[in-house]
Amino acid sequence: MQEKILINPTPEQQDVIDWQGDKLVVNAFAGTGKTSNLVKYAEKHPDLRMLYIAFNRSADEKFPANVLCKTSHQLAWSGFGRNYANRLTNSLRLFDIANATQSDDWLYVKTIQDTLKNFMCSVDNQIMLRHCPSILMGEVKKSFTANEVVRQSEQLWHRMIDLADNFPVIHDMCLKLYQLSQPNLYHRFDVIFDADRLWLTHSFSFGDCVADIAHALLAMNGETHQVVGRGEKDEIFINIPKQGFPQRSILSRTVAGVIGSAL
């Protein structure tokens, strides 16, 4: 979904553009112009060196020259990723773990895989019991303990980070090493877009009807801020015939289109 270009910012968006301080957190709903808002902020402060950490590089061309756009994995690549380039794979495969542990117990192998993934996605410095998946706390019959899983996961982790080893590695391992190195990005940048707290609640991706449904669903999970629809006029069909209504598959290029069709 493409971001709307901000021509006349909403009061909420203007608060972000005009903000001054050390740290800012912007909570934003879908379609509220997050990237466009940051572009306007960057344009207003051309003297500041800024880092935009994104899920992908698609936003790169939208920002002015004082903003560097990178994914978190790209940040980790220069210091760590390139050292493992010949061993990088897209995923940590069960087959590789089974071979390394010489185990044909696939529940055991899967538990080790999940433990390693949980550790790499955590802020912890070492693998601990809390990284083991919840299956170990259940009543599933198993031939191993959580402590055994932690020990084996630690062994595989050390094999992964060993430059002389041949065990496959994944990008999340490189990102974990980057996190463990405790990088200080403020030596290179004045502003990092990733605290004060502001909200963007006006969505330009859908209208009032979908916004009302979205707010009702979010409120069920404790959200107190109202979603405001400022997109094109939409409509919710409530009285769908129960009989003679054929099943259909609908493809949509936008999230709003999917939600609108489903509702």
Side-chain angles (χ1 to χ4, degrees):
M1 182 186 301
Q2 293 184 343
E3 287 275 352
K4 300 289 185 181
I5 298 176
L6 293 185
I7 299 176
N8 297 309
T10 67
E12 291 177 333
Q13 292 169 332
Q14 195 63 52
D15 285 342
V16 175
I17 296 171
D18 295 337
W19 173 83
Q20 295 181 3
D22 293 328
K23 293 182 180 180
L24 172 67
V25 175
V26 179
N27 289 345
F29 294 129
T32 53
K34 296 180 287 294
T35 301
S36 297
N37 211 167
L38 294 178
V39 169
K40 289 295 184 182
Y41 179 86
E43 291 174 346
K44 185 174 180 179
H45 303 278
D47 56 320
L48 297 179
R49 300 166 301 166
M50 303 184 185
L51 171 64
Y52 178 74
I53 303 176
F55 287 109
N56 55 62
R57 290 290 298 274
S58 62
D60 197 354
E61 60 189 29
K62 302 178 183 179
F63 282 91
N66 60 317
V67 179
L68 176 65
C69 295
K70 281 187 176 292
T71 66
S72 55
H73 289 96
Q74 286 174 323
L75 287 175
W77 176 258
S78 60
F80 298 95
R82 64 175 57 185
N83 299 327
Y84 300 91
N86 63 326
R87 292 165 53 194
L88 277 172
T89 62
N90 291 327
S91 61
L92 191 58
R93 300 186 303 175
L94 293 175
F95 181 77
D96 293 325
I97 297 175
N99 280 342
T101 58
Q102 297 183 335
S103 173
D104 58 1
D105 185 338
W106 291 104
L107 178 60
Y108 176 60
V109 171
K110 181 66 169 64
T111 304
I112 293 173
Q113 181 193 57
D114 290 341
T115 300
L116 284 168
K117 288 181 178 179
N118 291 339
F119 166 64
M120 286 185 278
C121 293
S122 74
V123 298
D124 298 314
N125 295 330
Q126 61 185 24
I127 299 175
M128 293 178 279
L129 287 174
R130 66 166 167 262
H131 299 131
C132 295
S134 57
I135 188 174
L136 291 181
M137 308 304 172
E139 298 180 356
V140 178
K141 185 178 181 180
K142 46 194 176 294
S143 59
F144 53 89
T145 66
N147 286 325
E148 291 173 335
V149 170
V150 169
R151 284 195 297 270
Q152 187 62 71
S153 298
E154 287 176 335
Q155 292 178 19
L156 286 184
W157 170 253
H158 288 296
R159 285 195 60 184
M160 292 171 70
I161 65 177
D162 185 352
L163 291 172
D165 205 300
N166 61 358
F167 189 78
V169 302
I170 57 177
H171 288 280
D172 280 350
M173 185 216 75
C174 303
L175 184 58
K176 182 63 178 178
L177 290 177
Y178 182 69
Q179 177 253 320
L180 291 174
S181 71
Q182 298 182 327
N184 187 350
L185 296 174
Y186 285 102
H187 287 319
R188 298 173 53 195
F189 303 98
D190 303 304
V191 177
I192 298 177
F193 297 138
D194 178 39
D196 293 337
R197 189 175 297 271
L198 297 176
W199 283 82
L200 296 181
T201 60
H202 291 236
S203 176
F204 300 91
S205 295
F206 42 76
D208 290 336
C209 294
V210 172
D212 288 341
I213 297 297
H215 175 68
L217 294 174
L218 291 170
M220 293 173 62
N221 288 314
E223 181 57 67
T224 58
H225 289 76
Q226 175 75 45
V227 184
V228 180
R230 297 190 58 177
E232 297 180 2
K233 180 177 176 58
D234 51 22
E235 184 177 359
I236 305 297
F237 292 93
I238 299 177
N239 298 319
I240 298 177
K242 295 182 179 180
Q243 301 295 331
F245 192 77
Q247 295 183 355
R248 296 180 297 170
S249 296
I250 300 175
L251 299 178
S252 177
R253 64 181 298 273
T254 65
V255 175
V258 173
I259 296 175
S261 299
L263 297 177

